[in-house]
Amino acid sequence: MGAPFTMKPLPYAEDALSPVINAQTIGFHYGKHHTTYLNTLNKLLENDPLKDSSLEEIIKATAGSSEAAKKTIFNNAAQVWNHDFYWQCLKPNGGGKPTGRIADMIKDAFGDYDKFKADFAQTCVTQFGSGWGWLCLEGGKLTLRKTANAENPLHMDGVKPLLTIDVWEHAYYLDYQNRRPDHVNAVIDKLLNWEFAEKNLG
Ligand code: FE
């Protein structure tokens, strides 16, 4: 439950998302970036009263703090949670139009799938600098949000994250360089794990 936290295994092989996201990107992203957030968090918690709390509790306890030490804990804890969540949002041969409950909710909130896709891509592309694009559930309706750096909807009242796309450059630079829109559209078309989103509806 509490620290030290351990890396959750990737839900697929490092090369399983190729050619949209290649093994080298996953190797760095999971093996270096994500792992570094986790190791840094464990180190920060060694002598901290939050060390026995769950990741979610740590995020909620430190979100919005003006204290430098708490901000640093928040950043690393949220990035561990965000990446654990993100890996599950992707799957080989995923993406495209969903079916079932989510499909009806997309129709409800966006009119049709194409409008949803354009809006989600735009949300991800217009996050200035590092951050995340999110599909969320708010008041029974699908919404889109973007957050900067480590921020996430987890501690926002009444906002439930369903899917996310990492738009930090480390997520796409080796495969797409500066072409974030191409990366985002390829993820939406070919990798989104709609079963995971459906499960998150609860
Ligand atoms: Fe990342």
Side-chain angles (χ1 to χ4, degrees), residues 29-30 33-34 37 79 82-83 86-87 131-132 166-171:
H29 198 173
Y30 175 81
H33 293 277
H34 184 174
Y37 294 127
Q79 282 293 77
N82 291 348
H83 284 91
Y86 169 68
W87 301 124
W132 301 81
D166 187 341
V167 295
W168 284 59
E169 282 187 346
H170 66 223

